[in-house]
Amino acid sequence: MYPLAEGLFAPLNQWYIAAWSKEVTRTPMERWILDEPVAFYRQENGAPVAVEGRCPHRSFPLGKSRVVGDNIQCGYHGITFRPDGSCAEIPTQTVIPNVCKIKSYPVSEQWNWIWIWPGDPALADTALIPDHFEMGLTDPSFRAAGDAYFHVPGRYMLMHDNLLDLTHLGYLHKDSFGADGGGVDQVPEHSEGPNWIESKFTQKDSECPPFFSHMLNYQGRINRTFGLRLFMPCLHYGADTSYRVGPDGENGEMIGSLRIYHAVTPATRTTAHYFFAAGHSWASDDPASAEKLVENIKPALEEDMSATRYIETMVEHYNGRPGELLLRADHVCARGRRFFERTIRAEQQGAKLQLAEAG
Amino acid sequence: MYPLAEGLFAPLNQWYIAAWSKEVTRTPMERWILDEPVAFYRQENGAPVAVEGRCPHRSFPLGKSRVVGDNIQCGYHGITFRPDGSCAEIPTQTVIPNVCKIKSYPVSEQWNWIWIWPGDPALADTALIPDHFEMGLTDPSFRAAGDAYFHVPGRYMLMHDNLLDLTHLGYLHKDSFGADGGGVDQVPEHSEGPNWIESKFTQKDSECPPFFSHMLNYQGRINRTFGLRLFMPCLHYGADTSYRVGPDGENGEMIGSLRIYHAVTPATRTTAHYFFAAGHSWASDDPASAEKLVENIKPALEEDMSATRYIETMVEHYNGRPGELLLRADHVCARGRRFFERTIRAEQQGAKLQLAEAG
Amino acid sequence: MYPLAEGLFAPLNQWYIAAWSKEVTRTPMERWILDEPVAFYRQENGAPVAVEGRCPHRSFPLGKSRVVGDNIQCGYHGITFRPDGSCAEIPTQTVIPNVCKIKSYPVSEQWNWIWIWPGDPALADTALIPDHFEMGLTDPSFRAAGDAYFHVPGRYMLMHDNLLDLTHLGYLHKDSFGADGGGVDQVPEHSEGPNWIESKFTQKDSECPPFFSHMLNYQGRINRTFGLRLFMPCLHYGADTSYRVGPDGENGEMIGSLRIYHAVTPATRTTAHYFFAAGHSWASDDPASAEKLVENIKPALEEDMSATRYIETMVEHYNGRPGELLLRADHVCARGRRFFERTIRAEQQGAKLQLAEAG
């Protein structure tokens, strides 16, 4: 489905960020992931659990039910399931039918995030999750914070389109970030690895955007490099670094570096979850400096939510197939879409092969 | 449609409760019944009228129009219809075309309820309506009251599923009724007649549920029998009776008996009307004792409404065909569904025969 | 689509009223016209502009973007379009692809209204717009005012049905206009020209409706003529004139004449825009007399909006094909519908011929 090719939604055998750690408690939470209802809760020892969010008996949502010990008990007739999805109890009978079970999802809690694997559990290797220390989330030499959650009122790929094409900064975020929003009108550089794709922008001897000026307590002209690396299929990580302009125009002393983390996870086919975190490399006397940084960026993220809602409305009006014009600056975005399409098609091909072998 | 077989909605040649008596006045009321708009009002002598709720001229809703004498006058261009559906006046012309008429529905007002017959009027025999005296509604030795109306945010059969399987009491109503909600974890007994189906539960030497304990002003252990009889296709009637535990464990002196009445009528294909009444057998100094009883039960009924909304959402997400697991305790519920399916299919078969004979 | 024949929506090669002059400013306004998004704004010299409301790059709404000089700049990535729809700038590249352009709509500002031509711009002749002086809008011997805008919660033809059949006055507007709403229960006279269709009613020696009585400061019986002329496909213009009853029952001295203007423009397939203005022929010391006249009529227009919403709901329930009964008084309305159908079919035939010639 747009902006991917017809019939392609999202890859299953991948790690997605599903929730902030603090969102998952001893009271179940319902959250839709890749168009399926999922119930999240914690066991008595604090371990997070994600299971199918629909009771197989009468379709009551387990995410609106109760936790009993380490298990989840359906709020309608009390059928109780273990974290592995097996049935622990049917109150009105002692025999548990084999078919009375639910799907259990592999989860991994890292930093402040809970990751989920919607596909085949046998393939769920936590080594595939991007290294949180390397990204600066768990490295004490950075200060990172984040608890910003947005329900995206549009299909998840519209947010990847947005993040893979930062040339929107100077226009969509003109009002929130001030002046030209810190934007840059250029075709980004592109680099790519087996499971990531990156765009990069460079500004030389340019005015320090008001937003950064205020944050870095710096007036004057700067060199700046920024960009985002998407670790497929969910997390965009980027550094936005400002330097004094050296005598020869090259980068002088670093003034400050901002770390940015955007996670996008499909909820339904036309909505998504969006998690935002940020960090900085510079010292600060304020213990809540990273939290304040996130707060200051939130108004700009609301602009992304509005844009996504507007575009989703347009796309649906044109029966899911709006006309589209690709520009040169879209080359990273276009490659990102191909990345998703290749991954989904490979999974579909694999599933067909498995069926053929089984048949 | 789920939870009935594909293509089956609701039987037509049946009496359904359409409204509380006090809802139907000299100002028309629009209410959808079996996916058709119906206009309800009273004639000058107080007799209730139910006619097609759409003016055949320009589709204006007659339920949002005016009563003039014994007739209903369309609020758009003034076309006026008699209680029998014939046209009394077209303001701009004297000739009344034969096709200018609307459907008139047989109605019957009994106790505080107005019953409607959506099908063939020639078959509408009021003797088919369950006996209100026998159920205790009009018997002065009981005290009954009721004016609780809920718009059900889901298809009507979900409410029959709910009422035909009271093993949900201990779970869905745990919070409202307290402790285990007065529930019982057992497979109900089943009995059935030509136009009814009944589930029955028995508890021996069990703790008196807080809700009943408070109501009956009784502390201690009890024997209890309860259940519901569905008079097809609308009204569930039940008694919930508590006894002191006799020396041999058998029923001792009766402590009190509660009468419960739930009526469920299809509104649209995915919504329903729900009417609740209750009564009691014991004496009370409080003239409003039955009204208070209904008030006390209302929070539990809100839980049924939430459950129905949740399940309707799930069912629609799975394109109207969610997976389902039938348990042993579901045998009455499953028989109830078959009852509806048989009745609808017999009507469809009859309609085909009539067409064949006419053809 | 109902109430027109299946598949027919609205004629394209026509002038429609799109907005009040004051609604179109230097801040873009999004308004849907004939099921397409349109962005309206003014150039630096005040000239109104209407262009396609969707950026061809990423479907962002231009009506929620920014004006820069005489151009409109997309609020997402800054692509900028001229009033003629050509692209003035793509911030990230110097080459402008030929396909990077949007549709520009012919517009014409007359009196307080901005007219738009949704079809082939080559055919947009402003001489086709009804003469505003003749209608009394720009003739200083009348006083006209208007700024009433309503978003119609139903398909536009339901409003034409409404205005082509004024026999609804006595019923739908009974409460707002008082007494019988100034209605008349008669089959209207009909007249028709190449681009207009008119209904006319005559009342002889009848009671002055309270609404007019108050407005004209006149008690007593009157002769009255009123009606509406629809200039296809958008503007209904009418005069409602009251006379003293002459000795022979014929029209005596004119007491007053009201001018009425209703404009209906399709927004989406099931919603519409509705603009209302009014004027009067009599002298008044109150400089805001026409504005007050419009204010006094607004409650009646709200009744039309409710009726349209009710009927739209009914029509959609019956899958867009409700049963319908045409009365004698509907003859003007029925001719009006045929007028639209003929016009749309002629356009479709013309489009096919063009394709055939091109092929």
Side-chain angles (χ1 to χ4, degrees):
Chain A
M1 58 191 294
Y2 179 84
L4 301 183
E6 198 63 27
L8 304 186
F9 173 42
L12 286 164
N13 290 319
Q14 298 283 343
W15 288 106
Y16 289 91
I17 291 171
W20 292 106
S21 282
K22 67 173 187 183
E23 291 183 292
V24 176
T25 67
R26 293 282 289 162
T27 300
M29 173 178 77
E30 182 178 71
R31 181 156 284 174
W32 289 68
I33 303 286
L34 273 70
D35 214 28
E36 297 290 340
V38 179
F40 292 87
Y41 69 96
R42 286 188 192 274
Q43 297 181 48
E44 287 180 319
N45 67 5
V49 176
V51 291
E52 193 175 341
R54 185 182 75 89
C55 181
H57 174 230
R58 280 282 181 282
S59 294
F60 190 87
L62 294 175
K64 290 173 170 141
S65 294
R66 288 185 193 88
V67 170
V68 176
D70 284 349
N71 300 333
I72 191 161
Q73 182 188 64
C74 178
Y76 202 175
H77 300 92
I79 304 178
T80 305
F81 299 94
R82 299 187 188 92
D84 69 359
S86 65
C87 180
E89 192 193 1
I90 300 176
T92 51
Q93 66 187 61
T94 50
V95 176
I96 310 284
N98 280 336
V99 293
C100 190
K101 60 186 174 195
I102 56 178
K103 183 174 175 179
S104 171
Y105 293 88
V107 291
S108 176
E109 188 161 17
Q110 301 199 18
W111 185 58
N112 295 338
W113 276 324
I114 292 173
W115 294 74
I116 190 170
W117 179 274
D120 181 354
L123 305 174
D125 180 357
T126 53
L128 297 169
I129 295 175
D131 189 309
H132 285 48
F133 183 87
E134 268 185 28
M135 288 190 289
L137 285 168
T138 53
D139 179 347
S141 63
F142 293 90
R143 289 201 192 187
D147 62 357
Y149 170 83
F150 296 86
H151 188 71
V152 184
R155 55 197 68 192
Y156 80 99
M157 273 304 299
L158 297 181
M159 278 305 298
H160 287 309
D161 274 7
N162 174 294
L163 294 162
L164 288 165
D165 181 2
L166 294 179
T167 68
H168 75 270
L169 285 177
Y171 303 94
L172 184 60
H173 302 311
K174 193 172 197 155
D175 295 337
S176 56
F177 283 160
D180 71 351
V184 59
D185 294 337
Q186 63 185 222
V187 175
E189 290 175 64
H190 157 259
S191 55
E192 196 165 330
N195 71 332
W196 56 266
I197 185 164
E198 185 175 301
S199 65
K200 193 175 157 190
F201 297 86
T202 304
Q203 282 175 311
K204 292 285 180 191
D205 195 10
S206 68
E207 207 175 329
C208 186
F211 179 81
F212 292 101
S213 175
H214 178 78
M215 194 167 58
L216 301 170
N217 193 22
Y218 175 82
Q219 323 292 333
R221 297 185 73 78
I222 57 169
N223 285 356
R224 176 185 173 210
T225 61
F226 68 103
L228 283 175
R229 173 177 294 199
L230 165 58
F231 293 101
M232 284 287 293
C234 174
L235 181 62
H236 297 256
Y237 157 59
D240 193 328
T241 308
S242 299
Y243 304 88
R244 289 176 190 276
V245 183
D248 52 356
E250 290 308 293
N251 294 349
E253 184 196 356
M254 187 180 88
I255 306 166
S257 182
L258 188 63
R259 293 288 184 278
I260 297 285
Y261 313 86
H262 307 268
V264 179
T265 298
T268 65
R269 285 179 180 268
T270 54
T271 62
H273 307 291
Y274 177 40
F275 307 88
F276 178 76
H280 59 80
S281 62
W282 58 86
S284 169
D285 293 336
D286 184 352
S289 62
E291 283 77 6
K292 286 180 183 168
L293 180 58
V294 170
E295 276 311 307
N296 288 338
I297 296 174
K298 273 187 183 174
L301 307 179
E302 293 285 7
E303 292 166 337
D304 295 306
M305 296 305 103
S306 291
T308 307
R309 189 177 72 241
Y310 294 156
I311 294 172
E312 179 65 35
T313 303
M314 284 284 183
V315 169
E316 293 183 13
H317 177 74
Y318 290 97
N319 295 315
R321 287 185 291 272
E324 189 182 56
L325 181 69
L326 284 178
L327 303 176
R328 291 178 191 183
D330 289 321
H331 70 124
V332 187
C333 173
R335 285 167 198 261
R337 293 176 179 183
R338 296 300 92 72
F339 214 120
F340 276 89
E341 291 174 341
R342 276 199 311 276
T343 310
I344 300 168
R345 285 194 170 117
E347 281 187 2
Q348 292 178 343
Q349 198 60 28
K352 276 182 202 156
L353 281 173
Q354 284 190 324
L355 277 175
E357 282 163 16
Chain B
M1 59 191 291
Y2 179 84
L4 301 183
E6 199 62 28
L8 304 186
F9 173 42
L12 286 165
N13 289 320
Q14 298 283 341
W15 288 104
Y16 288 90
I17 291 172
W20 292 107
S21 281
K22 67 174 185 182
E23 291 182 291
V24 176
T25 67
R26 292 283 289 163
T27 300
M29 172 178 77
E30 183 178 69
R31 180 155 284 173
W32 289 68
I33 302 286
L34 273 72
D35 215 26
E36 298 289 340
V38 180
F40 292 88
Y41 69 96
R42 285 187 192 275
Q43 297 182 49
E44 288 181 318
N45 68 5
V49 175
V51 291
E52 194 175 341
R54 185 182 75 90
C55 180
H57 174 230
R58 281 281 182 283
S59 294
F60 191 87
L62 295 175
K64 290 174 170 137
S65 295
R66 289 186 191 88
V67 170
V68 176
D70 283 349
N71 300 334
I72 191 162
Q73 183 188 66
C74 178
Y76 201 176
H77 300 92
I79 304 177
T80 305
F81 299 94
R82 298 187 190 93
D84 68 358
S86 64
C87 179
E89 192 192 0
I90 299 175
T92 51
Q93 66 188 61
T94 49
V95 176
I96 310 284
N98 280 337
V99 294
C100 190
K101 61 187 174 194
I102 56 177
K103 184 175 174 178
S104 172
Y105 294 89
V107 290
S108 176
E109 187 162 19
Q110 301 199 17
W111 186 57
N112 296 336
W113 276 323
I114 292 173
W115 294 75
I116 191 171
W117 179 273
D120 181 353
L123 305 175
D125 179 357
T126 54
L128 297 169
I129 294 175
D131 189 310
H132 285 49
F133 183 87
E134 269 185 28
M135 288 190 289
L137 284 169
T138 52
D139 177 348
S141 63
F142 291 90
R143 290 201 191 183
D147 64 357
Y149 170 82
F150 297 85
H151 188 70
V152 184
R155 56 197 68 191
Y156 80 100
M157 273 305 298
L158 298 181
M159 277 306 297
H160 287 309
D161 274 8
N162 173 295
L163 295 162
L164 289 165
D165 181 3
L166 294 179
T167 68
H168 76 268
L169 285 177
Y171 303 94
L172 185 60
H173 302 311
K174 193 172 196 154
D175 294 339
S176 56
F177 282 162
D180 70 352
V184 59
D185 294 337
Q186 63 185 220
V187 175
E189 292 175 63
H190 157 259
S191 55
E192 198 165 328
N195 71 332
W196 56 267
I197 185 164
E198 185 175 302
S199 66
K200 192 174 160 192
F201 297 86
T202 304
Q203 282 175 311
K204 292 285 181 187
D205 196 10
S206 68
E207 207 175 327
C208 187
F211 179 81
F212 291 102
S213 175
H214 178 78
M215 192 167 60
L216 301 170
N217 192 23
Y218 175 82
Q219 322 293 331
R221 297 184 73 80
I222 57 169
N223 285 355
R224 177 185 172 208
T225 62
F226 69 101
L228 283 176
R229 171 176 295 198
L230 165 58
F231 293 102
M232 284 288 293
C234 174
L235 180 62
H236 297 256
Y237 157 60
D240 193 330
T241 308
S242 299
Y243 304 88
R244 288 176 191 275
V245 184
D248 54 354
E250 290 307 294
N251 295 350
E253 186 196 353
M254 187 180 87
I255 305 165
S257 182
L258 188 64
R259 292 289 184 278
I260 298 284
Y261 313 86
H262 308 268
V264 179
T265 298
T268 65
R269 286 180 179 267
T270 54
T271 61
H273 308 292
Y274 177 41
F275 307 89
F276 177 77
H280 60 78
S281 62
W282 57 87
S284 169
D285 294 335
D286 183 351
S289 62
E291 283 77 5
K292 287 180 182 168
L293 179 58
V294 170
E295 275 312 306
N296 288 339
I297 296 173
K298 272 186 182 174
L301 307 179
E302 292 286 6
E303 291 166 337
D304 295 306
M305 295 305 102
S306 292
T308 306
R309 189 177 71 242
Y310 294 156
I311 294 173
E312 180 65 35
T313 302
M314 285 283 185
V315 168
E316 292 181 14
H317 177 75
Y318 290 96
N319 296 316
R321 287 185 291 271
E324 190 181 58
L325 181 70
L326 284 177
L327 303 176
R328 291 179 191 181
D330 288 321
H331 70 123
V332 186
C333 173
R335 284 167 199 261
R337 292 176 178 183
R338 296 302 89 74
F339 214 121
F340 276 88
E341 292 175 340
R342 276 200 311 274
T343 310
I344 300 167
R345 285 193 169 116
E347 282 186 1
Q348 293 178 343
Q349 197 59 29
K352 276 183 203 159
L353 280 173
Q354 283 190 326
L355 277 175
E357 282 163 15
Chain C
M1 58 190 294
Y2 179 84
L4 302 183
E6 198 63 26
L8 304 186
F9 172 42
L12 286 164
N13 289 320
Q14 298 282 342
W15 287 106
Y16 289 91
I17 292 173
W20 292 106
S21 281
K22 66 173 187 182
E23 291 182 292
V24 176
T25 67
R26 292 282 290 163
T27 300
M29 173 178 77
E30 182 178 72
R31 181 156 285 173
W32 289 68
I33 303 286
L34 273 72
D35 215 27
E36 297 289 341
V38 180
F40 293 87
Y41 69 96
R42 286 187 192 274
Q43 297 181 49
E44 289 181 319
N45 68 5
V49 176
V51 290
E52 194 174 342
R54 185 182 75 91
C55 181
H57 174 230
R58 281 281 182 283
S59 295
F60 191 87
L62 294 175
K64 289 172 171 141
S65 294
R66 288 185 192 87
V67 170
V68 176
D70 283 350
N71 301 334
I72 192 161
Q73 182 188 64
C74 178
Y76 201 174
H77 301 92
I79 304 176
T80 305
F81 299 94
R82 299 189 188 91
D84 68 359
S86 65
C87 180
E89 191 192 2
I90 300 175
T92 51
Q93 65 188 62
T94 50
V95 176
I96 310 284
N98 280 336
V99 293
C100 190
K101 60 185 173 194
I102 56 178
K103 183 174 177 179
S104 172
Y105 294 88
V107 291
S108 176
E109 188 162 18
Q110 302 199 16
W111 186 57
N112 295 337
W113 276 323
I114 293 173
W115 293 75
I116 190 170
W117 179 274
D120 181 353
L123 305 175
D125 179 356
T126 55
L128 297 170
I129 295 176
D131 188 309
H132 285 50
F133 183 88
E134 269 187 27
M135 286 190 291
L137 284 169
T138 53
D139 179 347
S141 63
F142 292 89
R143 290 204 191 182
D147 64 355
Y149 170 81
F150 295 85
H151 188 71
V152 184
R155 55 197 67 190
Y156 80 99
M157 274 303 300
L158 297 182
M159 278 306 298
H160 287 308
D161 274 8
N162 174 294
L163 294 162
L164 289 165
D165 181 3
L166 294 179
T167 67
H168 75 269
L169 284 178
Y171 303 94
L172 185 60
H173 302 311
K174 192 170 198 156
D175 295 339
S176 56
F177 281 161
D180 70 351
V184 58
D185 294 336
Q186 63 184 221
V187 174
E189 289 174 66
H190 157 259
S191 54
E192 198 165 328
N195 72 332
W196 56 267
I197 185 164
E198 185 176 301
S199 65
K200 192 174 161 193
F201 296 86
T202 304
Q203 283 175 311
K204 292 284 179 189
D205 195 10
S206 67
E207 208 176 328
C208 187
F211 179 81
F212 291 101
S213 176
H214 178 77
M215 194 167 58
L216 301 170
N217 193 22
Y218 175 83
Q219 322 292 333
R221 299 185 72 79
I222 57 170
N223 284 356
R224 176 185 174 210
T225 61
F226 69 102
L228 283 176
R229 173 177 294 200
L230 165 57
F231 292 102
M232 284 287 292
C234 174
L235 181 61
H236 297 256
Y237 157 60
D240 193 330
T241 307
S242 299
Y243 304 88
R244 290 176 190 276
V245 183
D248 53 355
E250 289 309 292
N251 294 350
E253 185 197 355
M254 187 179 86
I255 305 165
S257 183
L258 188 64
R259 292 290 183 275
I260 298 284
Y261 313 85
H262 308 267
V264 179
T265 298
T268 65
R269 287 181 178 266
T270 53
T271 62
H273 308 293
Y274 177 41
F275 306 88
F276 178 77
H280 58 79
S281 62
W282 58 85
S284 169
D285 294 335
D286 184 351
S289 63
E291 284 76 6
K292 286 180 183 167
L293 180 58
V294 170
E295 276 311 306
N296 288 340
I297 295 173
K298 273 187 182 174
L301 307 179
E302 292 286 5
E303 291 165 338
D304 294 306
M305 296 304 104
S306 292
T308 307
R309 188 176 74 241
Y310 294 157
I311 294 172
E312 179 65 35
T313 302
M314 284 284 184
V315 169
E316 292 182 13
H317 178 75
Y318 290 96
N319 296 315
R321 286 186 291 272
E324 190 180 57
L325 181 69
L326 284 178
L327 302 176
R328 292 179 190 182
D330 289 321
H331 71 123
V332 187
C333 174
R335 285 168 198 261
R337 293 176 178 183
R338 296 302 89 73
F339 214 120
F340 276 89
E341 290 175 342
R342 275 199 312 274
T343 311
I344 300 167
R345 285 194 170 116
E347 282 186 2
Q348 292 177 344
Q349 197 60 28
K352 275 182 202 157
L353 281 172
Q354 285 189 325
L355 277 175
E357 282 162 14

